[in-house]
Amino acid sequence: MQSTTRSFTVGEGKGYLTVARTEDGAPAEVLIRMAKQGSTLAGMMDAFSSTITQGLRHGVPLRAFVTDYVGMRFEPAGLTNDPEVKQASSVMDYVGRRLALDYLPYDLRVELNVLTTEERATKEAIDGVGDAVWTDMVGLSMSAPLVARPRRS
């Protein structure tokens, strides 16, 4: 299998994301290594790596992992060194966004609001307001607040 390793920073955290791919280019193995070996975060990232890899080997779609990880919040968080993912709310948020950008189709990424810099610029040009409002194909605002049904006790 061929693999790609990416160095990343999220806030004060530094790490490496390695993705091994099958012959057709689909991710088959994900390895997340944090720079501070022996730290709790490094151990947790090793566990997450193993879980993602085992899930992919057993047919869990990458979308399932990305959906769970995008938006996850814990430290370290903040600015990244990745021009496509400028900020992340955690290392898992960064990993989910990076995997989505590299391996998921545009339609799924739109649902997750994970777009490349170029896609965001196009959206801004179309909308005229940038990230504040995004419209779907029929022009309905996707930034409208969700109205949830009240729960019955």
Side-chain angles (χ1 to χ4, degrees), residues 7-26:
S7 172
F8 67 87
T9 61
V10 174
E12 297 296 316
K14 293 180 170 85
Y16 300 91
L17 172 63
T18 301
V19 180
R21 299 175 305 280
T22 60
E23 290 179 11
D24 65 352

Side-chain angles (χ1 to χ4, degrees), residues 41-60:
L41 182 60
M44 291 303 297
M45 291 303 107
D46 287 346
F48 273 119
S49 298
S50 178
T51 301
I52 295 169
T53 298
Q54 289 300 319
L56 292 172
R57 288 181 183 167
H58 287 87
V60 176

